[in-house]
Amino acid sequence: MTKAAELAKMGEVLTNSQIGGRRNIVINGAMQVAQRSTSAVTGLGASSGYFTVDRFKMHFANTAGRLTMSQEAITDLSGFSEAIKLDCTTADTSIAAGELASIQTRFEGTDLQQLKKGTSDAEKITVSFYVKGNASATYTCELYDNDNTRHNGQEFSVTTSWTRVVLTFAGDTTGKLDNNNDNSFQINWNLHAGSTYTGGTFSSNTWTTTTNQRIGDNQTSFFDSTDRTFFITGIQMEVGSQATPFEHRSFGEELALCQRYFYKTQADSTYDFFSNGVAISSTLAYNGLSFPCKMRSAPSLETSGDLRNYRDGGKPITGVAINHTSTYFCVLECTSSGGGLTAGDGNLFGANNDDDASVIFKAEL
C-alpha cells in the first residue's frame, strides 16, 4: 500500500469512528426535541405545518387523506429512543394531479455554503436515515433547492424492520444558494403524490427543474390504506460521498439549535412566571423577555392559557401583543381587564396555576 493510500485509509477510519468533528447538518435528527407536543396530533392533512417534533414540517397539498403524527418512543432500534411516527387514519386512493404529502426539514442558506452548490467544484451530499413501516413500500427522498427551484430525488425502500437508508446525491454545479437566513434548501420525504409530480420520466440522482420528474416511478401512496404506518429517525446530511455513523448530540444542544426557530416558555406546577416589567397604566403593563439564543428572525407571538399581570393578586390578561422585538428579546404589552395596576409599579407576567399556559415565539423557515 502506498503512503497516499495509507493516509486515505487512516482518514476513513477516523471519520467512521466519529472523530471527524461536527458533520451532521440536520438539526434534531434523532427526534429528541418536541416543544409543540410530545403527544399524537390527529387529523392532519388539510394544511401544512410543524406539529410535533421540532424542525420537521408536514407538507400537504390537496389531499383528502388524513394522518396522525407523533413523537414515538422506540425500543427496537439500538442507539435511538424516539422517532417520528405517521399513521394513516383516512385513506385517499383517488389521487388528483396536484396532491402531495411529505415530511420536510429546511435549512438556511448561510448554513450550507460548504456544499459549494452552483460552482464547478460542488460537493456530493450524503443523506442517511432509519425507516420502517407496517408493510413494504417505496417512497422518494428529495433534495430541493428553494433558491433556484431545482431538485434531485432518489427512491428508497421501507420494510417492517428498521433499515438504514444511505443516499449519495450528485453535486449540483448550477444555482448557488443564497447566503442568508431564508429557506434555501430542503430534504423532502415524499410519501404521496399526484401526476403533477409523477407524470414525467423520473431520472434518479439527477438535478432538474421539471416538476413532473420529482417522484420515483415505483412510488407508494402512504394514503393507500388506513393500515399504513411510517417511522423515521436518525436523519443525517453530510458533505461528501461517505455515510458516517449517526452523530449524536446532547438534548441540551439540540434544544438550543431548535430554539433559533421556535421557543416555548410554559408554566408548570412550581414556576408560573414568564417575565417581569412595569405597569404603564391601570390596565397595561410592559414586560421584557429575553430569548435563550439568537432567533432566526424577529419572531411572531402566540399565547395560551390563563395569563395574568401579577399585582395585588393577579389581574386576568385579555390581550398580549409585541410592542418591540428583535432576534434577542422582546417587550410584551400585557393588557388586563378591570384595572388594578398602578403606573410605575413593578409587574410580573405569568399564569394563574395553569400548567397549560404558554408563550410561544416562532421564527420558522
Side-chain angles (χ1 to χ4, degrees):
M1 181 181 290
T2 67
K3 188 65 174 178
E6 289 178 356
L7 290 172
K9 183 64 176 177
M10 182 180 297
E12 180 181 342
V13 170
L14 289 173
T15 299
N16 287 342
S17 300
Q18 288 199 291
I19 309 177
R22 173 64 61 83
R23 292 165 289 101
N24 191 5
I25 304 171
V26 172
I27 296 173
N28 200 29
M31 314 304 175
Q32 296 172 279
V33 181
Q35 293 184 82
R36 290 169 177 82
S37 176
T38 57
S39 302
V41 179
T42 62
L44 301 180
S47 59
S48 302
Y50 293 90
F51 299 104
T52 57
V53 175
D54 281 52
R55 306 305 311 125
F56 290 91
K57 181 177 183 177
M58 290 303 308
H59 175 76
F60 300 106
N62 305 311
T63 179
R66 296 292 182 265
L67 60 81
T68 294
M69 181 183 191
S70 59
Q71 181 199 44
E72 191 78 0
I74 56 174
T75 58
D76 55 347
L77 179 61
S78 180
F80 297 91
S81 57
E82 283 91 20
I84 286 176
K85 178 186 178 182
L86 303 182
D87 186 356
C88 177
T89 55
T90 301
D92 179 4
T93 56
S94 180
I95 305 174
E99 293 191 25
L100 188 66
S102 59
I103 302 174
Q104 301 178 345
T105 189
R106 300 180 170 194
F107 304 91
E108 299 175 51
T110 191
D111 291 332
L112 298 181
Q113 297 305 300
Q114 69 272 34
L115 301 183
K116 305 173 189 174
K117 193 178 179 302
T119 71
S120 59
D121 55 349
E123 298 280 2
K124 292 181 179 179
I125 303 167
T126 297
V127 177
S128 55
F129 48 92
Y130 293 86
V131 288
K132 75 170 185 176
N134 69 302
S136 296
T138 300
Y139 301 115
T140 304
C141 178
E142 174 187 51
L143 302 186
Y144 193 92
D145 170 1
N146 199 52
D147 289 333
N148 302 286
T149 320
R150 294 176 61 77
H151 36 83
N152 183 339
Q154 296 187 51
E155 294 181 335
F156 66 94
S157 297
V158 176
T159 69
T160 56
S161 300
W162 285 107
T163 303
R164 192 186 193 200
V165 176
V166 176
L167 303 172
T168 296
F169 293 84
D172 188 13
T173 58
T174 300
K176 290 185 178 182
L177 298 177
D178 295 339
N179 186 25
N180 60 26
N181 65 347
D182 293 332
N183 175 25
S184 284
F185 199 81
Q186 303 170 192
I187 308 175
N188 299 330
W189 290 266
N190 295 314
L191 306 178
H192 170 89
S195 60
T196 297
Y197 308 97
T198 65
T201 301
F202 179 73
S203 182
S204 181
N205 197 15
T206 301
W207 287 96
T208 180
T209 60
T210 306
T211 300
N212 67 7
Q213 296 176 2
R214 287 179 56 183
I215 307 297
D217 297 331
N218 302 300
Q219 178 83 13
T220 300
S221 167
F222 175 79
F223 289 126
D224 62 2
S225 167
T226 53
D227 293 329
R228 185 69 67 182
T229 60
F230 178 75
F231 296 78
I232 187 168
T233 193
I235 298 173
Q236 182 150 296
M237 182 173 79
E238 52 196 314
V239 177
S241 58
Q242 176 69 44
T244 62
F246 181 79
E247 181 185 2
H248 289 275
R249 295 191 284 256
S250 70
F251 179 87
E253 186 174 2
E254 293 287 14
L255 176 61
L257 292 170
C258 291
Q259 286 175 331
R260 177 169 170 81
Y261 306 94
F262 182 92
Y263 171 52
K264 179 178 182 179
T265 177
Q266 184 167 356
D268 60 32
S269 58
T270 58
Y271 186 80
D272 284 340
F273 298 107
F274 301 128
S275 67
N276 55 25
V278 62
I280 303 301
S281 69
S282 63
T283 59
L284 178 64
Y286 285 175
N287 295 277
L289 192 149
S290 296
F291 307 134
C293 65
K294 178 180 171 67
M295 300 197 74
R296 182 188 67 86
S297 61
S300 61
L301 170 71
E302 289 185 10
T303 62
S304 67
D306 185 0
L307 302 176
R308 301 282 178 124
N309 277 324
Y310 275 90
R311 191 72 182 179
D312 299 328
K315 306 302 178 182
I317 291 177
T318 57
V320 181
I322 292 177
N323 174 270
H324 173 78
T325 187
S326 71
T327 55
Y328 291 101
F329 73 96
C330 71
V331 176
L332 299 177
E333 293 183 359
C334 302
T335 303
S336 292
S337 61
L341 303 178
T342 301
D345 281 356
N347 181 71
L348 288 172
F349 168 46
N352 184 34
N353 298 317
D354 181 358
D355 289 355
D356 293 324
S358 63
V359 181
I360 294 170
F361 300 90
K362 294 182 179 181
E364 293 285 5
L365 291 166

